[in-house]
Amino acid sequence: MPKEKISLATRLRNYVSEFGNIFTTDSKILFCTVCNIKIASDKRFSVTQHIATEIHQRGVNRTENKKKTQQLISKDSSSKSSFNNDLYQTTLRKVNVDHCYQEVLNEIRQKVAGKKIWVSIDETTDAEGRFIASVIIGTLLLDRPGEIFLFNLEQLQKTNHSTICSLFENSLYLLWPDEIRRNDVLLFLSDAAPYMVKAGDTLKVLYPKMVHVTCTSYGLHRVAEQIRIQFPKVDKLVANVKRVFKKAPYRVQKFHTDAPNISLPLEPILTHWGTWISAVLYYSENFQTVKNIIESFDENDALSIKNAQKYFKIPQMKGNLTFIHSNFVCLPIAITRLQKQGIPLSEGIAIIQDISSKFSQLTGTAGIDINKKLQTVLNKNKGFQIVCNISKILTGEEENAKKKATQPFIDFVLQVLNIENLSSEESV
């Protein structure tokens, strides 16, 4: 009879039972209480490998030493000292920590008092799969960039526009406990996720002077992803060369020996496709050197070597790398500049407009599709279009911008003359 497959929950409980109290589980993940991290548990080997690591062993030693110290203290301590310890911990938790929290909260309230503000919300998941959202606020000043505060951090039961709106409202109630100053909230910054866009549309009903701007650098990352999609063979080359040198000390050493003046091939970061463009630029600049090193390896040693050699031999490969280098070297540079704090609004807009101008000159099927992607990303960012018009009014660049605006928009502009010092990427 075929062997019955063990469920995930049963396998994790077996690990906990086998290795003692160094692990805990919620039937979904295996958590190391010594290292305070989630560990891979697909195979028993992964668990034993973690236990054998130097970091884990040091943690075990610290735990054992701590237990010995606590045992010595408990032997020498009386019931009175135990009572004092409990009292101290209770006092610290209920009095001191709360006092520090209220002190910092009041300080932020004082610095924000009477000023216009912007709000940014970003959501992520932690090691245990919980939805954690952070709220950042900042002040808008006339003569300089305002102060920025990490104001609130909450766990969400689920991520949708409703929970984001609730978090937004709760955070501003925390800032203004007497009454939310809705006309003082001028900007809402977030990523371009559909639920964030929907949350922005909902909140604008409650905050009539607020403009929702989605992250422009995030939009450029999406354009970079479109470039990757247009060149699948280049993507395969980057992925396979990365695997050739991953966990391969001998190959890494040979690379440094044969090419001492250049770094190892760059490894793109998942979801940050601007780094993929940077990796392609690396191959364009060091094509022959990296190709010679890859071809010096035995293709039978690893599938990644065989694949990398195959893609290096494609006739169009060098031409594709050159095309990407010639037309898109500006993209990772622009992303880096937009992520810098404190740049003026006009400079942030100029960066996007420069990219748009360069992409509009692209030719060929791939170039036209990439330009369409950029224009789609920018056109969906309605808040960015409004901010562009505000910048034109403030700088006097386009008098007709006033004619295009509604009267509430004009009133809004008059109240945010200080927005000149706000970067469209200041908190995202």
Side-chain angles (χ1 to χ4, degrees):
M1 293 180 64
K3 187 176 180 180
E4 184 178 353
K5 186 175 180 180
I6 301 175
S7 68
L8 174 62
T10 301
R11 186 172 73 250
L12 296 181
R13 286 195 295 269
N14 289 342
Y15 289 149
V16 174
S17 176
E18 179 181 357
F19 297 105
N21 59 2
I22 62 173
F23 295 122
T24 60
T25 182
D26 62 354
S27 299
K28 294 181 181 179
I29 64 169
L30 189 65
F31 187 80
C32 178
T33 59
V34 176
C35 304
N36 290 325
I37 59 171
K38 180 182 73 172
I39 65 171
S41 57
D42 294 340
K43 297 181 180 179
R44 187 178 182 278
F45 170 75
S46 301
V47 180
T48 57
Q49 187 180 45
H50 171 77
I51 294 175
T53 61
E54 183 180 352
I55 294 177
H56 180 83
Q57 291 299 322
R58 288 203 301 265
V60 171
N61 292 335
R62 284 196 303 269
T63 303
E64 290 178 352
N65 292 334
K66 185 176 180 181
K67 287 181 179 179
K68 292 178 181 178
T69 303
Q70 290 175 343
Q71 289 173 357
L72 289 173
I73 293 174
S74 62
K75 289 180 180 179
D76 297 334
S77 299
S78 63
S79 58
K80 181 177 178 180
S81 61
S82 177
F83 169 78
N84 289 339
N85 185 55
D86 293 341
L87 179 63
Y88 171 76
Q89 290 182 0
T90 302
T91 303
L92 181 65
R93 175 171 53 84
K94 292 185 176 180
V95 179
N96 296 73
V97 174
D98 184 66
H99 173 74
C100 292
Y101 168 76
Q102 290 298 332
E103 191 176 79
V104 172
L105 183 58
N106 290 332
E107 182 180 350
I108 294 176
R109 287 169 176 168
Q110 290 175 6
K111 291 182 178 180
V112 171
K115 297 183 178 68
K116 309 296 183 182
I117 70 167
W118 54 265
V119 180
S120 176
I121 296 181
D122 194 19
E123 178 271 332
T124 187
T125 52
D126 65 7
E128 296 185 4
R130 296 172 297 189
F131 301 109
I132 306 297
S134 59
V135 180
I136 299 174
I137 65 172
T139 56
L140 302 174
L141 304 178
L142 281 167
D143 54 349
R144 64 187 186 279
E147 294 186 81
I148 302 173
F149 309 98
L150 175 57
F151 188 69
N152 195 11
L153 200 68
E154 286 190 12
Q155 177 183 347
L156 306 179
Q157 293 301 317
K158 53 184 177 180
T159 305
N160 55 37
H161 81 284
S162 179
T163 56
I164 294 299
C165 290
S166 297
L167 175 62
F168 193 101
E169 283 281 279
N170 293 339
S171 299
L172 293 185
Y173 271 121
L174 185 62
L175 179 64
W176 292 304
D178 296 331
E179 181 183 7
I180 294 181
R181 301 174 63 87
R182 299 188 184 277
N183 288 337
D184 286 348
V185 183
L186 302 183
L187 278 177
F188 172 38
L189 308 176
S190 74
D191 59 31
Y195 67 88
M196 282 291 189
V197 175
K198 189 173 181 179
D201 292 338
T202 302
L203 289 168
K204 280 189 286 187
V205 177
L206 300 173
Y207 300 86
K209 298 185 183 300
M210 186 182 78
V211 175
H212 179 207
V213 180
T214 58
C215 177
T216 51
S217 66
Y218 174 82
L220 294 185
H221 278 298
R222 292 175 59 195
V223 175
E225 183 181 13
Q226 180 66 26
I227 298 172
R228 181 184 66 89
I229 294 171
Q230 292 291 330
F231 296 93
K233 293 181 180 179
V234 174
D235 186 40
K236 293 289 186 182
L237 174 70
V238 172
N240 281 283
V241 174
K242 177 186 69 175
R243 295 190 190 104
V244 168
F245 296 100
K246 196 168 187 178
K247 297 181 180 180
Y250 166 74
R251 297 172 199 154
V252 171
Q253 182 180 359
K254 180 170 176 55
F255 185 95
H256 288 313
T257 301
D258 294 352
N261 297 323
I262 64 175
S263 63
L264 280 167
L266 302 180
E267 183 174 348
I269 301 173
L270 186 64
T271 72
H272 287 67
W273 295 117
T275 59
W276 184 87
I277 300 293
S278 299
V280 173
L281 300 181
Y282 169 91
Y283 288 104
S284 176
E285 294 168 355
N286 305 286
F287 181 83
Q288 197 60 48
T289 301
V290 179
K291 179 182 178 183
N292 291 340
I293 295 173
I294 293 296
E295 290 180 344
S296 69
F297 297 136
D298 185 350
E299 67 174 23
N300 297 318
D301 284 351
L303 180 61
S304 58
I305 296 176
K306 184 176 181 179
N307 289 336
Q309 292 175 350
K310 179 182 72 173
Y311 287 111
F312 264 119
K313 292 176 181 177
I314 294 177
Q316 300 86 359
M317 182 59 67
K318 192 169 184 179
N320 288 340
L321 292 172
T322 302
F323 176 81
I324 296 173
H325 188 286
S326 301
N327 293 284
F328 307 120
V329 66
C330 57
L331 204 55
I333 297 173
I335 292 172
T336 301
R337 291 175 63 193
L338 286 171
Q339 291 173 338
K340 181 181 178 182
Q341 283 190 0
I343 65 172
L345 171 65
S346 56
E347 182 180 338
I349 292 174
I351 292 171
I352 299 297
Q353 291 176 338
D354 181 57
I355 292 290
S356 180
S357 176
K358 290 178 179 178
F359 279 30
S360 66
Q361 299 174 22
L362 295 174
T363 57
T365 303
I368 292 173
D369 287 345
I370 292 166
N371 181 49
K372 285 181 179 178
K373 179 66 174 181
L374 174 64
Q375 299 309 320
T376 299
V377 168
L378 295 180
N379 291 335
K380 285 185 176 180
N381 195 348
K382 302 298 183 182
F384 179 71
Q385 303 301 326
I386 294 175
V387 170
C388 287
N389 283 335
I390 292 174
S391 180
K392 290 176 182 179
I393 293 175
L394 297 178
T395 58
E397 178 184 340
E398 184 181 323
E399 189 67 24
N400 290 334
K402 294 183 180 180
K403 298 178 182 179
K404 298 177 183 178
T406 61
Q407 188 57 44
F409 177 73
I410 294 294
D411 294 339
F412 172 76
V413 171
L414 295 176
Q415 293 192 46
V416 291
L417 292 176
N418 50 1
I419 205 172
E420 182 61 28
N421 288 308
L422 176 67
S423 161
S424 62
E425 291 295 323
E426 189 155 12
S427 70
V428 179

